Amino acid sequence: MTVPVWTRKEIESPCIQICVVHPETRLCAGCARSIDEITQWSKMSAEARSQIMAELPLREAAPKGRRGGRAARLKR
């Protein structure tokens, strides 16, 4: 006889444990969520989580090109 495993009916976090926030986009390089979305995730409604999950594939957490190195830093 097996005991059924307890499962939650919540949308799981998209976190892949690569938690590095890009300085320009302010998005996590691993899951593409913002810091606010990450911190509020456990308190969000299922609808809010679904909306964020739908947007994630369209987000670019880190720009593809180079940032410019020292010359770009000096321009700032």
Side-chain angles (χ1 to χ4, degrees):
M1 185 167 146
T2 60
V3 178
V5 177
W6 178 78
T7 58
R8 298 172 85 174
K9 295 184 181 190
E10 297 178 358
I11 297 172
E12 294 295 323
S13 169
C15 181
I16 59 170
Q17 298 179 350
I18 300 175
C19 304
V20 178
V21 177
H22 191 275
E24 292 177 12
T25 63
R26 307 296 298 158
L27 297 175
C28 175
C31 66
R33 292 181 295 168
S34 70
I35 292 294
D36 292 335
E37 291 168 343
I38 293 168
T39 57
Q40 295 297 319
W41 190 259
S42 62
K43 299 172 188 148
M44 286 182 181
S45 67
E47 294 80 24
R49 289 181 185 185
S50 295
Q51 183 179 1
I52 291 170
M53 292 295 286
E55 293 172 4
L56 290 180
L58 305 174
R59 294 182 183 180
E60 189 173 314
K64 302 292 183 213
R66 294 183 57 170
R67 292 188 294 172
R70 183 173 184 272
R73 284 193 303 274
L74 293 174
K75 287 182 182 178
R76 291 183 194 164

